[in-house]
Amino acid sequence: MLKLYGCKGCGSAVVEAMLRMAQVPYDYVEALQWQPAFKRIPELERLNPLGQVPVLVLDDGSVMTESSAILLWLAEKTPGLAPTDPATRAQFLRWMSFVPASVYSVFAFRDFPERWVEGEEAQKAFREKLTQRLRDMWTTMESQLHPAPYVLGSSMSVLDLYLAMVSRWSPGRQWILAHCPKLGAAVTLTEQHPVVARTWKENFGT
Ligand SMILES: N[C@@H](CCC(=O)N[C@@H](CS)C(=O)NCC(=O)O)C(=O)O
């Protein structure tokens, strides 16, 4: 059985949604704690020396990290959740790389400014710059994507799930709805899917 190491509200949320969509059974291990103090279970560091989630341990014991790779791997086994026509597939791969490389990666800095910058004031300023960077990423996606009604057309893909998850993080859903109305509508629609609604409720509370 697959084993997912995650934490509530983290990048593991989209992997859980995808596993459920694919009807793949899995065990879940809560591997990170953010409050009251940040800590990891030792097993997580053994599996992923960076100590990050999500980590998926496959049936043969091999380890997968990297949310986008895990999602693409699961999409290969789930008919209908990744576009197959060549033009849409090119855009699908483009944005399936943009989300982790340009959006998600910012959180490695924004979530832990003390790892990178000395002093409270400098950390605050650093965090604000990274929030602005996230706004720029969303504005870029809004200008390049034309949801109809899902991000890549009439059917929902794993890219919709991925965007719906990162839309729950900074700069925040209210900002996205106000400044990126097309993507705001697409992620709102995606969240109406019963699997997404259930998984988000468990992860984000709503
Ligand atoms: N490149 C990784 C990033 C994973 C990541 O940053 N995970 C966060 C939680 S959402 C984490 O584990 N942060 C803890 C840390 O970096 O120490 C992916 O796409 O899966």
Side-chain angles (χ1 to χ4, degrees):
M1 172 113 72
L2 298 179
K3 202 163 177 180
L4 175 64
Y5 291 77
C7 64
K8 294 290 168 231
C10 294
S12 45
V14 68
V15 177
E16 282 192 278
M18 189 60 187
L19 285 162
R20 287 170 174 172
M21 295 262 183
Q23 299 187 319
V24 175
Y26 66 98
D27 280 333
Y28 177 80
V29 179
E30 187 76 5
L32 269 190
Q33 176 191 294
W34 294 78
Q35 297 293 338
F38 179 81
K39 68 175 184 206
R40 315 174 163 96
I41 60 167
E43 204 180 343
L44 177 63
E45 289 175 356
R46 186 177 59 74
L47 294 166
N48 178 4
L50 284 177
Q52 294 183 326
V53 299
V55 171
L56 191 66
V57 179
L58 308 189
D59 291 337
D60 64 1
S62 58
V63 171
M64 272 192 97
T65 63
E66 307 317 310
S67 50
S68 56
I70 295 171
L71 295 174
L72 290 168
W73 182 76
L74 286 166
E76 282 171 5
K77 306 175 190 316
T78 318
L81 277 175
T84 48
D85 83 272
T88 315
R89 185 140 187 101
Q91 291 306 308
F92 173 72
L93 292 174
R94 172 187 178 193
W95 297 108
M96 283 299 292
S97 293
F98 184 89
V99 172
S102 298
V103 180
Y104 196 166
S105 62
V106 172
F107 291 92
F109 304 98
R110 192 185 175 279
D111 285 347
F112 307 97
E114 68 286 357
R115 288 183 188 168
W116 313 101
V117 179
E118 301 279 336
E120 248 176 62
E121 277 306 305
Q123 287 164 10
K124 208 169 143 226
F126 182 57
R127 222 164 179 255
E128 184 40 50
K129 277 193 193 327
L130 293 170
T131 306
Q132 184 53 45
R133 181 74 176 162
L134 290 166
R135 292 189 195 112
D136 294 345
M137 294 301 160
W138 275 96
T139 309
T140 298
M141 293 192 286
E142 178 76 0
S143 71
Q144 302 275 301
L145 284 159
H146 307 286
Y150 294 102
V151 275
L152 293 178
S154 57
S155 36
M156 188 172 78
S157 76
V158 65
L159 177 61
D160 291 280
L161 301 183
Y162 214 7
L163 283 173
M165 181 185 72
V166 294
S167 78
R168 290 300 185 116
W169 302 341
S170 182
R173 178 56 68 86
Q174 289 315 315
W175 187 93
I176 291 167
L177 288 173
H179 297 89
C180 307
K182 291 184 293 167
L183 287 179
V187 295
T188 303
L189 176 65
T190 298
E191 290 181 347
Q192 284 166 15
H193 189 290
V195 169
V196 181
R198 176 183 153 214
T199 310
W200 272 207
K201 196 164 175 35
E202 290 166 6
N203 274 275
F204 304 107
T206 54

